[in-house]
Amino acid sequence: EFKNNMVFNTAFFLCALRALRGVFSVKLLPGQPLRPAPTPLMTLRSIVLVVVLASGLVPAQAADPVSGLKLPDGFVVHEFVGPQLANDIYTLHIDSTGRVVVCGRGYVRELLDIDGDGRADRARELVTGVKDGPMGVLWEGETLYVVADGGLKRYRGVDGTKPVSEAETILLVRTGGEHDAHAVRRGPDGWLYLICGNMAGVTKKLITSPQSPVKDPVAGALVRISPDGKQVEVVADGFRNAYGFDFNEFGDVFTYDSDNERCVGLPWYEPTRFYHVVPGSNHGWMSPQHAQTWRRPPYFFDVTPPVCTLGRGSPTGVVCYRHTHYPAKYRGGFFLADWTFGKVWFVPLARAGSTYAGKPEVFLEATGEDGFAPTGLAVHPTTGELFVSIGGRGTRGAVYCISYPARLGQGKAIPFTPRAGPAAARPAPPASLDSALRTLASDTGPVSKLNAVRAVQLALGDLTSRAAIGGVFEGYTLRKQPTKMTAVRVADALRKHFSTGHRDLNRELSRTLAALGDANPATTRLVVGRLTDASDPLDDIHYLIVLARLPTPLAGDEVDRVATAFLELDRKLTRAGHTRDRNWPLRIAEAASALIRTTPALAHALVDSPRFGRPEHALFATLDGVDRAAAARRFLRASTGAGFEWTPAVVELLGALPDAEVRPVLAKLWDRGDLTDALLPLFARSPVEADRGKFLTGLGSVNAGTVGTSAKALARLPSTPDGAELVAAVMAVRRTADGKPETAAHRAVVRLLRARTGQQFTGAKDWEAWLTRERPDLAKSLVPTAYDPAAWRKRLAAVEWTSGDPAAGRRVYSKAQCAACHDGSKAVGPPLQGVTKRFGRDDLLTAVLDPGRDVPPRYRPTRFATTDGKTHDGVVVYEAVDGVILQTGPDATVRIAGARIESRRSLTTSLMPAGLLDPLTVREIADLIAYLKSLDAKPASR
């Protein structure tokens, strides 16, 4: 184990020699000992020193503590390794002998602390040829398991002396993606366990064992592989994207699953969850097999409820503390890593019947500027210290070691003491529809009735019609529609139990009535009655969706009551502390549209309501059947009041009014940088010379539509000799070409240049060469697209970071147009709450200055070409065989029918433009960073 550590070998030899001298009287000459014989105490002390060094019981504490990380009293953290030896770490593993392994894109390395000072001095490659960033690794003796390159791989002969390249595939699964296969561990039963996200491709085809607890897995799954690799089972399924898992001292499995983040503010949103994984259990997530975003609620009897929930976040590492170095409260509990908000949670566990209960508490939290995005957790088997790796998406990599100095040298690992685990949790399907209805009709409590309603849903074939996947009605439809007679009989039986006062029971009764398409007006009246000023907004959304599935039109005051419910959703959600994400406006618009089709009077009631006029109501003004001009005038009147906040959606709506009516308002809004893309199309309707500067600004927009609109507007104005237009147009050609002159924006700019110059070039290089040759005075004004790190390092060295003012930074944030892409429910860039915890200041600034350096897959745009000659760039929000929904801007989505898609191409570029910080002063940059740090203090959504 220590054969490659010369320093340790030398120390060990000298100490051993000293100890042995007390046992044997070594003499050079008769009567002359080599040195005075040691006392028994000296001998004992030497032997203890040898044993302690050999066993590694004393954690090294020479390394300096790390600042910027908040821990409970008594704990100390130091950096074990920095980015020089291992950057952008995806996962961390410590084997049973204490060998530390880290993985990142293209590497699997062992970290070596040669001099024993508590810091790794050297890293050595264990394997070669890995292309993915492995998210799971397990080292046993000389066998190394790696989750990468399309499967679970096994490398033999890995002893650290030289890297190994040959691997055999144990299991074929998808790897490398953020929702693919992740952590691998050896279970106390000797089998290998592999946790997989919902896109890893785990299906029944993978199963080879007839004893598999799950026969037809859905979404993410925990897979179990026999020691000989011949038997593959699925232990549990229904996870969204659990990265890590571990076993407690009794051999029970626990994992930490991600939330359905884009559904924040919708009734089916579930926060991150910590699960006790029971064989055969399902955990509610249904994508990609049966749904896109809807998930079964945790109160369904066939869904496993979590031990606890932990709010918004991105779960990564999971480890059970099976050691005694830390205080007693931590023994047997779990540490959980959250990448998004830079936290490590601790969940103490207590038995609660056949499962466990635990209340989470924050164990470690980032408070400094050095980026802390935890990706992996491991407990050292000898010292009992917790190791935490950081990295992901190109961020700074490091490993931290957390010890408890009051107990240095004390403690031992807690061995497994397996006990009989819980039985498989997959419930048997109900015997029949009639038996389920009889249970519902019996004199039982609300929980029994709730279980009976779920049994009715299962007896009818379960929820989620394939035709509804990707829309608001996923969880409000049946996979197979029953006969009309059956639907009426079941609806009549369910309706009489509605309004029981039990929230979950009412939800499921109404959901099932919606799935049946109950046409009885009594059902509509009962559901509308749930919409009150005091009702919960998440319940309101649920009942509005139910109403949208019922075929009976709203009558009388039901119309106004439903209009009020829609218009008050934003205010109620804000009051309740709920945020909204990308899917929220899409789903609400779908429900409102369906209700307008059934009850056209609702369109007028929305705009005519005295409550209409807040910026959030622009969503309803875009629906078919709504009078857009009337809605726009309502907004104009509302804008004169105190506190009105213009948004791009409201500005865009002004396009429904004559130019003369809105021009004065538009002129006053021009200085708002976050409204530029919405304002320019309105100015372009009737371009005038005074607006020329606005259109030159538009040529530099990140939004291709704005570039094209600005070019067309400039073409309608007289040519100008100052050359600013030529420079802006040539730069726009360079940005929009992307290797091919196929985009509409590119064609518009080329037409403008041809009209101004008489030249017939198409490519960006030709236009740049022409400008350099014909107008050298202008060519020098072309801004280089490359990011100059040296120049920016020099500039940033002059920034006084401690002088940053968050309030002033909010204004800089707007000036730099950050809000247009990162704020609101339709943001095309990642949310910035928690950004300074998971990114260090240098990483964050680099991401802004060089946005194309590392574009996360989730925010990487796709270019679609359609059969009518158009192209659309944006982030895919939803995709199916019958079409896609593309988010092309902060407040713009495009739905493209599948039959119209001619081609698609992923773009490696970012929607975020380079040069956003160029016009800022060093003080403004300090203010901007201070503002981004202030976002970390805001509470996460539930």
Side-chain angles (χ1 to χ4, degrees), residues 302-547:
D302 52 337
V303 172
T304 298
V307 173
C308 61
T309 60
L310 298 98
R312 283 280 295 112
S314 298
T316 50
V318 175
V319 68
C320 179
Y321 194 75
R322 298 195 310 272
H323 206 280
T324 61
H325 168 58
Y326 283 4
K329 69 169 285 186
Y330 295 99
R331 296 169 197 170
F334 276 77
F335 291 103
L336 313 173
D338 171 21
W339 187 88
T340 293
F341 293 101
K343 293 179 181 179
V344 174
W345 295 89
F346 175 71
V347 181
L349 289 182
R351 293 292 298 186
S354 62
T355 183
Y356 295 84
K359 184 178 180 181
E361 56 190 64
V362 176
F363 176 75
L364 184 154
E365 186 173 13
T367 60
E369 297 181 348
D370 288 336
F372 183 77
T375 55
L377 302 173
V379 174
H380 195 285
T382 306
T383 69
E385 296 165 300
L386 177 68
F387 283 64
V388 185
S389 64
I390 66 171
R393 295 186 181 174
T395 60
R396 183 179 72 90
V399 175
Y400 297 100
C401 176
I402 303 168
S403 61
Y404 192 71
R407 293 179 54 83
L408 287 178
Q410 301 180 40
K412 60 181 180 179
I414 300 173
F416 283 114
T417 55
R419 62 185 174 201
R426 212 77 161 191
S432 69
L433 177 60
D434 288 335
S435 63
L437 292 175
R438 282 195 299 272
T439 302
L440 179 65
S442 62
D443 188 15
T444 58
V447 174
S448 296
K449 290 182 182 296
L450 176 61
N451 291 338
V453 175
R454 176 57 182 152
V456 168
Q457 295 170 354
L458 291 171
L460 291 171
D462 209 353
L463 300 167
T464 62
S465 162
R466 294 201 61 81
I469 291 179
V472 70
F473 299 125
E474 281 185 336
Y476 298 80
T477 53
L478 294 169
R479 293 184 194 169
K480 184 174 64 175
Q481 198 64 26
T483 65
K484 185 175 180 179
M485 182 179 296
T486 298
V488 171
R489 179 169 68 92
V490 174
D492 289 342
L494 298 180
R495 195 182 309 111
K496 65 182 66 174
H497 298 282
F498 192 67
S499 297
T500 62
H502 190 278
R503 181 187 186 192
D504 295 339
L505 176 55
N506 280 337
R507 270 200 182 193
E508 295 315 310
L509 286 166
S510 58
R511 185 195 308 279
T512 313
L513 290 167
L516 292 167
D518 184 18
N520 193 311
T523 299
T524 301
R525 287 195 299 272
L526 286 170
V527 175
V528 171
R530 307 301 299 177
L531 306 172
T532 69
D533 287 340
S535 54
D536 185 287
L538 298 181
D539 287 341
D540 289 350
I541 296 171
H542 166 80
Y543 288 118
L544 288 169
I545 297 171
V546 167
L547 288 170

Side-chain angles (χ1 to χ4, degrees), residues 16 28 114 145 150 186 197 212 233 333 352 394 415 436 470 536 552 579 605 665 770 783-784 839 848 884:
L28 293 178
I114 303 296
Y145 296 91
R186 178 74 65 180
S212 178
E233 300 178 352
D536 185 287
T552 303
T579 57
V665 177
W770 175 85
V783 179
F839 288 87
V848 177
V884 299

